[in-house]
Amino acid sequence: MSDKQHLYLVDGSAYIFRAYHRLPPLTNPEGTPVGAVYGYTTMLWKLAEDLDKADGPTHLAVVLDKSSQSFRNEIYDQYKANRPDPPEDLVPQFPLIRDATRAFSLPLIEEPDVEADDMIASYARAAASQGWDVTIVSSDKDLMQLIGTSEQGGTIDMLDTMKSARIGPAEVEEKFGVGPELVGDVLALMGDSVDNIPGIFGVGPKTATKLIQDHGSLTAALDAAPEMKKSKLKERLLEHRADAELSRILVTLKEDCELPIAIEDMKLGKIPPEPLVAFLTGHGFTSLLRRIDNGGSAPGPTTQLHPAKPQNKGEAHAPKGNRQPPPEMPEVDRKAYECVQTVDRLEAWIDRAFAARLVAVDTETSDLDCMLCDLVGVSLATGPNEACYIPLGHGSDDMFAEKPTQIPLDVALAKLKPLLESDAVLKVGQNIKYDLNVLARHDIHVAPIDDTMIVSFALDAGRSQDGIGGGHGMDELAQRHLGHTCLTFKEVCGTGKKAISFGEVPLDRATEYAAEDADVTWRLHAHLKPRLAIEGGTRVYERVDRPLIPVVADMERHGIHVDRARLAGLSERFASEITRLEGEIHEIAGQEFAVGSPKQLGEILFDKMGYKGGKKGKSGQYSTDQSVLEKLDASGAPIATKVLEWRQLAKLKSTYTDALQQAINPRTNRVHTSYSLVGAQTGRLSSTDPNLQNIPIRTEIGREIRQAFVAEPGNVLLAADYSQIELRLAAHMADVDPLRDAFAAGEDIHARTAMEMFGEVDRDTRGRAKTINFAILYGISRWGLAGRLGIEADEAQALIDTYFARFPGIQRYIVSTLESVRERGYSETLFGRKTWFPRINSKNQAERQGSERAAINAPIQGTSADIIKRAMARMAPALEQADLKPGQPDGVRMLLQVHDELVFELPEDLAERAKPVIERTMAEAAQPAVSLSVPLGIDIGTGRSWDDAH
DNA sequence: GATGTCACG
DNA sequence: GACGTACGTGACATCC
């Protein structure tokens, strides 16, 4: 083996297009494609393995196209203009190519304004002129011009990895009939329809080769044209000479590009295993992963094949992952932003976004409620400080006030629509569900999308202890990851009574705020998205959460019908009952007071009336909650009964019957909740404004509120819920055979537990068994269980011991889960969703134990959330396949999700056909990613109202 | 804005 | 020896 340096330059962009077409379409069940990425990964692997071989690389770099625009577009505006959009399922793979390259710790070259071919040419020439050998990993014919040997003895050849073929001067001669130095001349005559290089019309490879062979060069061939005998070819050569000369320039590679990384720095060494393992795991590339684990061959000559153990054992409360140094980007410069006020400038920005293939988008509106607001402006960003704001609805309502210059709303939206809907351009937003809804109301259906808030959640759920949006809000992310303080909405719009709507903000100020939001979103995406692959978040993000965003947006936008008159009737009834009870309470107490004030009530009950059992909390206030009042009630305190009744009615009236009437949207006449995808650390959704996930059901009087949720005439509501899903998952995850058998046999699970625990089943033992089953899911303590069952702590401990003895898997699950969380800092669901527990090793016992209980529960609650989310993402395709017209006025529509339940509205006559489709989609939602050892049971029903559907 | 309470899974 | 006692949410009323 000689000690000659050998540089390999990988043409990554060209590779993935070929890999996409050549490889089987590897996709996961949700259809997230990874075929090309897989091909690319195996290719890098193979190259790295060749390190010590003769002719193998000593140095290696990957070159990618930065954007689809280059200096050639300035020479010829039609350059590559005919190029079709990349296939829809290739687009999401582009960023993953970068992730893969980083996972191999390989240098990555991406330069604006030139193409990958130019960078390859420049590096190849530079290396060869130092006497290095160069291999270009590509089969692109344009690059064949470079093949040959330099004066310094460095050879340049090519390697087609798909055909395992070396391409040297002989192969070029065979293909083109001329040597590499004349390939450019042949190409200039031929043209290229894909790149839209004109060439000479009617001249193909055969003719082009012959002309160059005969005349020795392009110029000579063109010069000889007048002398040729009369023919079609002669005419064409004369007529299109200029085209050929332009083409010659276009196919010429720029060989003097600035080299951003020195070739010496491309030295290929041992591939560090950690990021690679993380990447392979994250994408489920298990066959490659096994090659590392089997003591084998991480690519490259490795001395240490296994990933190092994390160094921060026992320090999980001090995570480092989300405190990375900011990436290399210029400081945010608000003066760099453009306010777009003409169609020309708008078109320029749209072109720029198409060229970049990725654009951050943000909408500004008149109100936080995306179903009530008006669109006020749109901002776009294509890079750091490359951002603009397009005002569309600025100016006060005063008709005499002068409005600022703005592109008319309909004109601007018509221009933006093709960009926002183009498969070839990824739209990135921070909480993009909001923008999806705003734009959908203007008939713009934004896709494909990425969401920095959801990416942050997939990476860092639970890491932040408090803060609006659970620590995934933009201002917070900007501060944490970019070290940047955003302009706040309050700074721009003011606060309180003096607050103005965004449409009243002067344009210069509005531009600074709005364009900054898009700019910061772009930066956050660049920073956070690569972490997904490195840290194993890709699976849950790509397969669970990302596909859900448009699904949930649709549910929000459609809303649900509530019967206003019925709610008003209930409000009236409750009001008079409340008044009556209040009078009776005051009479018993012997004075008037605010029944709704726990402070006053506590003083009345325990000080004035002298009841026993008053317990003061740390705020020095008596507790008067339900359990306290029930005890008083049982010991014969009539006032406690009345207060309990009063509390129930006051709650139902204020929170439901009054508030829901207010929540009816006057435009749609329906109630539109807003779901948060980052609201619960476990991965559950949460629902706000109004919360439709806590509509009463447990009491008779509460269920009357459910009766006000109704279908439109001719339709019915369908409710489908997972039966005991968390217990089923616990049985599976903890390997509890008796529970699994009971579920498999369709038994009453609490009765079975009672039998195992107490040896007999009756109302009492079944009820206690049910309490214990739930206690298990929540992380049990003897005192907690004792309180719930009204027994002593040592009796409760005895029950817990019995439970563990009967179901030994449970204890193993608890111990191993806690061990893992203490060591790694996070828990994981069956689908790989992480929840971090920064206080799991806290010295404060209460804090630590609280984290432990949450950590025991999170994998179960989170897996349940993953499963129903997968069902939701698959629901529309499943209904479509069954011809149930999802989303259409005469079809089936999903309206609500309540953790283990989905609510649909559909024409009455579709109900019987819809039921099995919905049931199957929900029951099979874990598959094929996860194979459960218990069946998932679904209860399903229909009715005019939500109550009737149960 | 914090606290207490209670609606849901 | 004290701590505070089941997991995950959101809305409302009161009070400071």
Side-chain angles (χ1 to χ4, degrees):
Chain A
M1 195 180 85
S2 81
D3 55 9
K4 197 169 188 184
Q5 309 289 13
H6 197 153
L7 172 65
Y8 273 52
L9 294 163
V10 179
D11 183 5
S13 302
Y15 182 86
I16 53 168
F17 275 94
R18 282 185 80 208
Y20 173 78
H21 293 290
R22 300 262 313 227
L23 291 168
L26 275 181
T27 56
N28 63 48
E30 282 78 23
T32 304
V34 288
V37 178
Y38 181 75
Y40 179 76
T41 306
T42 54
M43 177 196 64
L44 288 185
W45 189 291
K46 219 174 154 304
L47 290 175
E49 275 183 339
D50 285 345
L51 172 50
D52 271 354
K53 299 193 181 148
D55 241 14
T58 60
H59 295 69
L60 192 149
V62 171
V63 187
L64 293 177
D65 279 319
K66 175 81 174 171
S67 64
S68 64
Q69 296 279 302
S70 72
F71 67 92
R72 291 186 178 80
N73 295 89
E74 284 162 30
I75 300 169
Y76 180 49
D77 63 354
Q78 291 300 300
Y79 179 66
K80 293 198 171 176
N82 287 352
R83 182 161 280 210
D85 287 343
E88 187 185 359
D89 51 344
L90 181 54
V91 173
Q93 302 193 56
F94 290 125
L96 296 180
I97 296 298
R98 288 186 192 92
D99 297 348
T101 310
R102 288 194 195 98
F104 278 88
S105 306
L106 295 172
L108 177 58
I109 313 291
E110 286 183 291
E111 289 294 293
D113 296 319
V114 295
E115 296 181 62
D117 288 356
D118 301 310
M119 290 311 300
I120 291 171
S122 302
Y123 270 106
R125 290 288 189 226
S129 69
Q130 294 183 26
W132 291 26
D133 288 339
V134 177
T135 294
I136 298 165
V137 182
S138 177
S139 56
D140 190 333
K141 57 186 177 348
D142 296 343
L143 290 168
M144 293 182 185
Q145 306 172 63
L146 296 167
I147 288 171
T149 304
S150 71
E151 287 173 22
Q152 293 77 14
T155 65
I156 302 178
D157 67 357
M158 289 174 67
L159 176 65
D160 181 349
T161 51
M162 281 185 191
K163 295 181 180 158
S164 298
R166 291 262 167 191
I167 303 166
E171 285 76 16
V172 174
E173 186 94 36
E174 189 182 330
K175 182 176 171 71
F176 285 101
V178 298
E181 69 285 354
L182 290 174
V183 165
D185 288 359
V186 174
L187 292 172
L189 281 169
M190 283 166 55
D192 185 325
S193 60
V194 177
D195 289 350
N196 214 27
I197 291 174
I200 295 224
F201 180 77
V203 173
K206 289 270 158 56
T207 316
T209 298
K210 180 135 199 338
L211 281 167
I212 301 301
Q213 283 173 340
D214 290 353
H215 299 92
S217 76
L218 175 67
T219 315
L222 293 171
D223 287 345
E227 268 43 81
M228 289 177 188
K229 60 177 195 264
K230 195 168 172 334
S231 68
K232 265 263 154 55
L233 178 63
K234 175 182 176 179
E235 279 172 38
R236 285 171 174 161
L237 286 175
L238 290 171
E239 189 180 341
H240 298 296
R241 180 178 180 123
D243 282 348
E245 285 169 339
L246 171 66
S247 300
R248 186 66 185 89
I249 295 169
L250 291 174
V251 302
T252 301
L253 298 172
K254 183 170 160 61
E255 297 179 359
D256 58 353
C257 298
E258 272 202 42
L259 308 183
I261 302 178
I263 50 177
E264 288 77 11
D265 291 342
M266 297 175 171
K267 180 99 185 119
L268 179 63
K270 175 175 79 80
I271 309 286
E274 290 91 332
L276 185 56
V277 166
F279 176 82
L280 298 174
T281 310
H283 289 282
F285 293 165
T286 46
S287 59
L288 294 177
L289 203 52
R290 235 173 281 127
R291 283 156 74 172
I292 297 184
D293 285 345
N294 288 347
S297 43
T302 51
T303 49
Q304 183 219 339
L305 299 173
H306 298 280
K309 284 256 177 195
Q311 292 301 302
N312 61 341
K313 182 172 174 179
E315 289 184 319
H317 54 283
K320 300 181 181 108
N322 62 345
R323 297 286 193 283
Q324 290 177 350
E328 301 276 326
M329 284 184 208
E331 295 268 309
V332 169
D333 176 12
R334 296 188 188 113
K335 299 298 169 204
Y337 302 144
E338 176 178 347
C339 183
V340 172
Q341 292 169 289
T342 65
V343 172
D344 274 359
R345 291 307 304 152
L346 176 59
E347 285 174 341
W349 274 98
I350 290 171
D351 288 347
R352 197 166 175 177
F354 267 108
R357 299 196 298 223
L358 182 154
V359 61
V361 180
D362 187 36
T363 56
E364 302 301 335
T365 58
S366 59
D367 192 288
L368 266 175
D369 184 334
C370 61
M371 291 305 296
L372 287 171
C373 68
D374 293 314
L375 183 57
V376 166
V378 176
S379 44
L380 305 176
T382 53
N385 290 333
E386 290 177 21
C388 70
Y389 178 58
I390 308 150
L392 299 170
H394 280 256
S396 72
D397 289 336
D398 180 354
M399 59 189 291
F400 297 107
E402 200 170 332
K403 295 225 181 200
T405 311
Q406 290 167 88
I407 305 169
L409 181 74
D410 53 339
V411 174
L413 291 181
K415 292 278 176 198
L416 284 165
K417 183 176 163 86
L419 171 72
L420 296 174
E421 295 183 348
S422 167
D423 284 344
V425 183
L426 182 64
K427 271 69 64 174
V428 181
Q430 165 73 13
N431 189 19
I432 202 169
K433 177 162 63 63
Y434 181 88
D435 311 277
L436 251 50
N437 277 334
V438 171
L439 290 163
R441 286 175 49 206
H442 292 91
D443 195 35
I444 294 176
H445 302 278
V446 182
I449 54 158
D450 243 344
D451 191 325
T452 46
M453 185 176 77
I454 313 291
V455 172
S456 168
F457 184 68
L459 292 166
D460 294 329
R463 272 185 163 162
S464 162
Q465 289 302 294
D466 40 40
I468 307 295
H472 309 281
M474 184 161 73
D475 293 357
E476 212 173 328
L477 293 178
Q479 196 63 244
R480 184 151 82 227
H481 299 298
L482 310 172
H484 173 71
T485 308
C486 293
L487 270 180
T488 64
F489 189 79
K490 281 180 186 165
E491 284 173 88
V492 177
C493 289
T495 163
K497 274 195 165 172
K498 281 184 285 183
I500 53 174
S501 98
F502 198 80
E504 296 166 83
V505 176
L507 290 193
D508 53 350
R509 189 73 173 153
T511 299
E512 288 186 0
Y513 174 84
E516 179 184 48
D517 275 6
D519 182 9
V520 167
T521 301
W522 192 97
R523 291 164 188 253
L524 286 172
H525 185 260
H527 182 78
L528 293 174
K529 191 78 190 290
R531 279 184 52 203
L532 281 178
I534 310 262
E535 298 176 28
T538 304
R539 185 165 155 209
V540 77
Y541 175 72
E542 295 289 346
R543 300 184 190 198
V544 182
D545 287 349
R546 190 189 191 195
L548 199 68
I549 298 169
V551 173
V552 172
D554 277 349
M555 292 165 67
E556 293 178 355
R557 213 163 54 250
H558 203 258
I560 186 165
H561 186 222
V562 301
D563 182 341
R564 186 196 300 267
R566 182 143 198 174
L567 290 176
L570 286 173
S571 278
E572 216 170 300
R573 221 177 83 200
F574 293 164
S576 62
E577 282 285 293
I578 289 168
T579 313
R580 181 180 62 79
L581 285 165
E582 208 158 275
E584 293 177 11
I585 291 165
H586 290 163
E587 196 167 324
I588 300 174
Q591 70 173 89
E592 296 202 348
F593 69 99
V595 182
S597 162
K599 185 164 176 269
Q600 292 181 34
L601 177 65
E603 282 157 12
I604 293 281
L605 288 174
F606 300 112
D607 289 343
K608 177 160 189 220
M609 300 181 72
Y611 283 113
K612 301 274 180 284
K615 264 188 295 186
K616 290 185 179 178
K618 57 184 162 201
S619 61
Q621 215 176 296
Y622 290 113
S623 168
T624 65
D625 69 14
Q626 201 158 351
S627 65
V628 172
L629 293 178
E630 276 166 357
K631 278 196 194 106
L632 286 179
D633 177 35
S635 66
I639 191 170
T641 325
K642 304 277 181 201
V643 172
L644 282 169
E645 276 184 66
W646 184 95
R647 284 237 181 108
Q648 180 185 28
L649 293 172
K651 175 86 176 178
L652 294 179
K653 180 171 186 289
S654 67
T655 308
Y656 301 105
T657 58
D658 289 352
L660 281 173
Q661 294 183 67
Q662 290 295 310
I664 296 172
N665 182 306
R667 203 165 44 77
T668 64
N669 213 25
R670 291 169 78 94
V671 174
H672 306 265
T673 185
S674 171
Y675 288 104
S676 170
L677 275 64
V678 300
Q681 311 293 17
T682 51
R684 273 191 180 178
L685 304 189
S686 70
S687 159
T688 60
D689 308 308
N691 182 354
L692 295 186
Q693 290 182 321
N694 69 347
I695 301 302
I697 191 170
R698 291 172 184 169
T699 65
E700 190 60 46
I701 190 160
R703 275 209 296 279
E704 294 196 51
I705 291 163
R706 264 183 198 237
Q707 289 168 15
F709 286 75
V710 291
E712 299 286 353
N715 282 2
V716 289
L717 294 182
L718 182 154
D721 62 84
Y722 285 102
S723 151
Q724 309 283 11
I725 186 169
E726 293 194 6
L727 264 180
R728 287 173 197 255
L729 291 173
H732 168 83
M733 293 164 79
D735 285 323
V736 187
D737 284 328
L739 292 180
R740 280 207 287 235
D741 296 345
F743 279 125
E747 282 179 46
D748 175 336
I749 200 66
H750 301 308
R752 173 66 179 259
T753 306
M755 195 66 198
E756 297 275 350
M757 296 279 302
F758 307 111
E760 59 176 339
V761 185
D762 56 34
R763 248 182 91 156
D764 173 59
T765 55
R766 186 184 180 279
R768 291 200 288 164
K770 185 176 177 182
T771 300
I772 296 167
N773 274 331
F774 279 104
I776 293 298
L777 299 180
Y778 299 148
I780 199 166
S781 81
R782 72 185 77 170
W783 300 279
L785 185 61
R788 293 281 160 145
L789 290 176
I791 57 177
E792 293 303 313
D794 53 352
E795 292 177 78
Q797 186 61 54
L799 285 178
I800 294 168
D801 293 342
T802 307
Y803 197 95
F804 285 163
R806 303 302 297 177
F807 309 124
I810 291 286
Q811 196 165 23
R812 276 203 307 274
Y813 166 82
I814 292 172
V815 169
S816 64
T817 300
L818 287 178
E819 252 175 32
S820 157
V821 174
R822 283 183 197 123
E823 181 170 331
R824 301 191 297 180
Y826 60 86
S827 69
E828 248 180 324
T829 67
L830 291 183
F831 298 87
R833 179 187 304 282
K834 289 180 183 177
T835 303
W836 290 87
F837 293 92
R839 298 181 208 250
I840 195 78
N841 292 319
S842 167
K843 292 200 171 64
N844 177 326
Q845 186 182 224
E847 209 169 59
R848 186 177 66 247
Q849 288 178 340
S851 289
E852 287 174 353
R853 290 191 297 270
I856 290 165
N857 180 249
I860 298 168
Q861 188 181 119
T863 299
S864 163
D866 290 343
I867 288 174
I868 196 168
K869 282 174 161 182
R870 288 164 63 96
M872 291 166 75
R874 292 184 195 176
M875 194 57 75
L879 293 168
E880 184 68 56
Q881 194 158 33
D883 201 25
L884 287 159
K885 298 181 257 185
Q888 294 184 32
D890 60 343
V892 180
R893 186 179 284 273
M894 188 158 63
L895 303 183
L896 302 177
Q897 189 250 42
V898 194
H899 310 308
D900 65 357
E901 173 185 7
L902 295 173
V903 179
F904 300 81
E905 182 172 5
L906 64 163
E908 201 168 354
D909 55 351
L910 291 185
E912 288 315 305
R913 281 211 295 126
K915 277 184 186 174
V917 177
I918 290 167
E919 184 178 350
R920 206 178 322 120
T921 304
M922 289 174 74
E924 293 172 357
Q927 299 163 28
V930 167
S931 176
L932 295 174
S933 56
V934 286
L936 292 180
I938 314 293
D939 295 327
I940 199 161
T942 58
R944 282 287 304 145
S945 78
W946 194 2
D947 187 40
D948 298 332
H950 271 283

